[in-house]
Amino acid sequence: MDWIRRIFNKSTPTPTTPGHDESLETKEEYNQRWYSVRVIYFTMFLMSLGFSIILTGIWPYLNKLDPEAGKDFMGYIVGANPFGQMLFSPLFGFWSNKLTSIRIPLLLSLVIFTTASAVYSSIEILPSHHKYWMLISRFFVGVSSSNIAVCRSYLSAATRLKERTGAVAMVSLAQVLGFVVGPALQAAVTQLGERGFVIPGIFHLNMYTASGWINVLLGIGNFCMFLPTFFKERRIAAKEAMIMQGKDDEQETWKSIKPDYFSAWTLIVAFFILVFNFVLLETLGTSLTMDQFTWTKMEALSYMGILMSVGAVIACVTFVAINPLCKRFDERKVLLWGGFFFMVLGRALYIPWGSEPPPIAEVSNSTNPDVEVVGCPASQEWCRTTPAMTIAQFLLGYITTSIGYPIGVTLIQTIFSKVLGPRPQGTWMGLMTGSGCLSRVLGPVFVGYIYTRLGTYWTFGVTTVMMAVAMIWLWLFSNRLVPPELDNPPIPPSVELHEMSMVKLASRESLDIVLEPELEALKPEKDENR
């Protein structure tokens, strides 16, 4: 496995970069630390990939295994993943804190991930209860992705304050790439078809099961990366705080720093609201365009696929731009005006601009049963009175969301880790991750009860107000969203330089006093020699 180490070490910054400090770590420790951070990037990518790679294939796979399961049960299968993650994220975070190491929790989570993925792809060879096996396998994939809380906790411990924003931006980018690459891989393996390749009694490799086997292979590779030979835990944040406070004990250091728990809970709630609004748009996008623009299923899937790809590119560019932005402007201002303001604007843009209601999808409009009926369903009474959206406002809203969400989700996590200080953050990161999972569970429920019954005015009016209130709240308490104060703040560099200059001056004066008589005694001799 030396090739793994070479790849990661090759991409590690050299110790001559501004991030390296000889007083905190040696060259080898610096390289090991950044290798471990990049393994965390890959793990976050894999957890997102494990969720997204099967999304487009769940329904046809379930329908093939159990035609009577229905779309309602498919909803349970999709929701099982975030539900499992929500339940176990705080537990994994608490466990890693108690162990003071992330290796065992991460190795166990990857064993669960690999096993559950293998079960998902082997359901066909099981004798019965196929839909329940699929539900169980997806639940345990969600349980395994609870390691995201552990990864975020380690990222906070393994980066210095000035490195934190860039590292969190990169790990968020890794997650987005996982969501983008997953459906692309699923589309690629559709070439295998439904028949695929069969090894009797072992496994069936086809367009449905191949996604699970991809997860298995990547899970095994990720497991190897965390073995002691390759992965060395380097927690530099506490060491940096120890030097700044002049303390010799890590535990004494973080216990002496009192975090602002009000600010921590404020950021957890803000994270919930932010993810809720993003998940709502993901859930509602296809059905909303079919209702408002009279697109067919094929058109909606095609156009939304293109739009999501463009949105992913915009999000990736935004992630890369976050660190340079935060070097020029305060992180809290970038969070408010680059993240939440754009999300508020994105929700407000979805409040209908049109002057006429959308066309109603009446079954009687078509005499040919093979022709797809398009338009807003007649069962949704609000469709007859509420003005339709325009395509222009839909595109503008999606673009602003693609800019605001990456900034918001990255800087909330960055500021959250700084507010907590250099203490073990596993439990707190578990709570943060759990709040995001709760958003993914409640988002589809909100769509079912608010959008279908009350329509676009209520849906986007409520979410606009929700985002605006969160933004105002963060603005009011932005002065508290800062790292905790140190008990023994370091001496400013200017003071140190001034003191050093005084010491040098005093030393030189003392030397002159001691040597002055001898120098005077030598002067006549010099004159005589001349």
Side-chain angles (χ1 to χ4, degrees), residues 84-96:
Q85 187 181 13
M86 179 183 70
L87 291 180
F88 283 84
S89 288
L91 297 178
F92 266 80
F94 178 77
W95 185 28
S96 68

Side-chain angles (χ1 to χ4, degrees), residues 421-438:
R423 63 184 54 249
Q425 298 182 5
T427 304
W428 282 99
M429 286 298 176
L431 292 172
M432 173 73 81
T433 304
S435 71
C437 296
L438 183 62

Side-chain angles (χ1 to χ4, degrees), residues 1-12 35:
M1 292 293 179
D2 287 342
W3 62 274
I4 297 176
R5 181 184 294 174
R6 286 198 299 269
I7 290 173
F8 277 87
N9 284 343
K10 189 175 181 180
S11 62
T12 301
Y35 168 84

